[in-house]
Amino acid sequence: MLPKFGSKITGALCVAAVCASFGAPLHARTLTNPDVKTMALLADFLAGNTPNFRERALKSKEYRYANEFDKPAILKRVEAQLRSEYEGFADVDGITLRVNANIGQYDAENGVYRISIFAPGMYFPYSNYALVMDNAADFHEWKIPVAEARKIREQSPYGGVIVEVTLLPFGVQPNNQRHVRGQITDVKVFEDRSGQLIHSAAIAEDQKRDVQVGANAAPTLLDDEAVSVAGLTIGDDLEDIAEALDDQGYTVLTYDGGLRFSSNPDRLDTGMGYYTFDGSENPYPYAVHMGPDLDCLDSSQLHSCGVVYADVETGASTSIVMVQNVTGTSKQDLVTTLFAKYGPASDKFNAYLWKKHAVDQYVWGAFEGNGAIKGHWFTEISGRKHWQVEAYVVEPTPQRKSVIVQINKVEGDNAVTGSGGVKF
């Protein structure tokens, strides 16, 4: 299932205008308003699963409603159509949909309208399948000067719009192969009454994802030695970690099964919380003292803090999470530093922290258990299934950047399920 805060986009999906080709496949074509059958086949194609075309043809309405004389010919035709459509996905470069949406009230403080279908957790449902948008956060906010925003409001008093969105279907979610992952490549927004184009946005050609099919989508597992942050490594004894943090100047608070640490000795919160980033209850503990502004509850906003969880019986660390705040640098510099430490990322998502901060989320490696690679929830910052290393690059204020790194190597109650950060 999708993350519990997810919302379906249930507005009517209409036939869209022809879109520009991404230029990747030689004979590229765009799927316009695909139905459930097409999405199911596409999910199978991207997952590397070859379906039983004869079995699906036998279940088709065309075959079931045909008379006994026509059934053999119809079965053969439907089976051939399914096979041809499946094989044709190699040439598909995009999916185009037109959906009803709303731009809401103008946010004068931030100078933006917010487009409803790109809000956190939104996706397109197709019965038991779904089309999810990996980079919706990049298109959620439409930045526009106040004078132009006023004109838009005069055109659309209630904010109703029609959004034409083109997505590149590049893979499936590792933990649910019925969920097709799509990268938004082009967006056009039309005023719903007049049909006038009022906004458009697109990504650059070199930003488009490579299509991942089947085994080619599996991330590379990291060596144990690479799974470290602030000189702390998964599997280290909790007492050794506490000593190492103390040597680095952190104030450390230990408790049964873990510890908290902060570079600000006056603001080490001793309380425990059970909250996700949207404020709802979560069965896993989360480091409340980091705060929704990622400032470690510090007025200077430049201190660092974190949490380590350990196996109660062995004392070996199982999860490390840390936030570090910095100034005088760019988000790209932080990403470059992360890549220098962990190598090229296996995957990238866009997400929100506390439904407040847009964040670039990078993933290295994956947790391997019971012989299978475990996946990660789409745009979910916490959950039961964890990659080995997750990093989040955030800009809480124009002056301050926050880097968050979460390292988990186990599934279970002792896994950290919030966000933390990194000290390089």
Side-chain angles (χ1 to χ4, degrees):
M1 60 185 294
L2 289 171
K4 60 185 177 182
F5 55 80
S7 300
K8 295 189 292 187
I9 298 175
T10 56
L13 303 182
C14 311
V15 175
V18 176
C19 317
S21 164
F22 305 142
L26 183 60
H27 304 290
R29 64 188 180 94
T30 299
L31 299 176
T32 302
N33 189 31
D35 57 16
V36 174
K37 174 179 69 69
T38 298
M39 289 303 297
L41 279 175
L42 178 59
D44 280 332
F45 175 82
L46 292 171
N49 301 326
T50 302
N52 187 323
F53 299 109
R54 171 58 63 93
E55 184 177 291
R56 293 198 182 186
L58 288 169
K59 295 179 180 179
S60 68
K61 289 183 179 180
E62 298 95 320
Y63 176 80
R64 289 187 291 110
Y65 295 158
N67 62 53
E68 66 272 30
F69 301 104
D70 295 335
K71 277 184 179 292
I74 290 178
L75 177 62
K76 185 177 180 179
R77 174 173 57 81
V78 172
E79 182 179 355
Q81 288 175 343
L82 290 171
R83 187 182 301 276
S84 176
E85 184 175 8
Y86 177 87
E87 294 172 351
F89 288 134
D91 297 327
V92 169
D93 67 348
I95 296 174
T96 299
L97 306 169
R98 278 176 78 97
V99 298
N100 297 319
N102 194 282
I103 57 173
Q105 295 294 313
Y106 181 68
D107 182 345
E109 181 179 356
N110 295 291
V112 299
Y113 279 121
R114 292 185 174 88
I115 304 173
S116 60
I117 68 165
F118 302 130
M122 300 298 280
Y123 64 94
F124 297 98
Y126 287 86
S127 186
N128 294 326
Y129 293 82
L131 174 61
V132 294
M133 300 174 284
D134 260 40
N135 57 335
D138 290 342
F139 295 88
H140 185 210
E141 294 187 343
W142 167 16
K143 199 163 187 64
I144 181 173
V146 62
E148 295 181 28
R150 182 183 293 274
K151 293 180 181 179
I152 295 296
R153 180 59 68 205
E154 291 172 355
Q155 290 178 274
S156 182
Y158 302 105
V161 295
I162 296 173
V163 177
E164 179 180 296
V165 55
T166 302
L167 305 100
L168 171 64
F170 66 87
V172 292
Q173 288 187 226
N175 64 312
N176 191 333
Q177 295 186 347
R178 292 189 173 196
H179 292 170
V180 174
R181 293 174 62 185
Q183 178 193 32
I184 301 171
T185 60
D186 185 86
V187 168
K188 293 181 177 66
V189 180
F190 303 88
E191 200 279 318
D192 65 348
R193 296 181 302 174
S194 66
Q196 180 182 352
L197 177 67
I198 58 176
H199 173 61
S200 63
I203 66 172
E205 190 70 30
D206 60 4
Q207 292 180 310
K208 292 174 182 174
R209 300 287 301 255
D210 293 327
V211 176
Q212 306 164 354
V213 177
N216 294 330
T220 302
L221 296 177
L222 296 176
D223 294 333
D224 289 348
E225 294 75 16
V227 188
S228 65
V229 59
L232 313 176
T233 303
I234 294 293
D236 287 350
D237 186 82
L238 192 62
E239 292 184 3
D240 294 336
I241 287 179
E243 183 177 344
L245 288 169
D246 184 69
D247 290 342
Q248 294 181 47
Y250 287 98
T251 299
V252 179
L253 172 68
T254 59
Y255 52 88
D256 189 24
L259 61 81
R260 293 185 176 196
F261 60 96
S262 175
S263 59
N264 181 4
D266 298 325
R267 295 311 302 265
L268 187 60
D269 192 341
T270 59
M272 290 297 292
Y274 296 86
Y275 306 100
T276 57
F277 288 108
D278 60 359
S280 59
E281 292 186 2
N282 188 328
Y284 294 115
Y286 162 65
V288 179
H289 66 286
M290 293 177 186
D293 291 320
L294 308 175
D295 55 7
C296 296
L297 302 182
D298 173 64
S299 59
S300 76
Q301 300 186 341
L302 290 178
H303 282 287
S304 301
C305 54
V307 178
V308 178
Y309 285 94
D311 186 285
V312 177
E313 295 182 359
T314 67
S317 61
T318 57
S319 300
I320 304 171
V321 62
M322 182 178 176
V323 60
Q324 179 174 340
N325 293 294
V326 295
T327 57
T329 189
S330 68
K331 290 176 68 176
Q332 186 54 51
D333 287 340
L334 297 179
V335 173
T336 300
T337 306
L338 286 165
F339 277 37
K341 178 176 178 61
Y342 297 111
S346 302
D347 212 338
K348 179 181 182 292
F349 300 85
N350 292 115
Y352 282 86
L353 301 184
W354 278 282
K355 295 188 176 181
K356 178 178 182 180
H357 305 296
V359 53
D360 295 326
Q361 176 184 357
Y362 298 88
V363 175
W364 290 264
F367 173 68
E368 186 175 28
N370 300 323
I373 293 178
K374 302 298 183 181
H376 190 283
W377 288 115
F378 169 72
T379 69
E380 189 179 19
I381 304 303
S382 61
R384 294 173 180 269
K385 299 178 178 179
H386 294 274
W387 298 84
Q388 284 189 331
V389 178
E390 297 169 79
Y392 313 90
V393 182
V394 197
E395 190 174 32
T397 70
Q399 294 76 33
R400 178 168 60 95
K401 311 294 187 296
S402 295
V403 183
I404 304 166
V405 163
Q406 173 172 307
I407 301 177
N408 294 304
K409 204 179 178 183
V410 297
E411 286 185 289
D413 294 345
N414 55 0
V416 174
T417 58
S419 265
V422 63
K423 181 177 182 180
F424 303 111

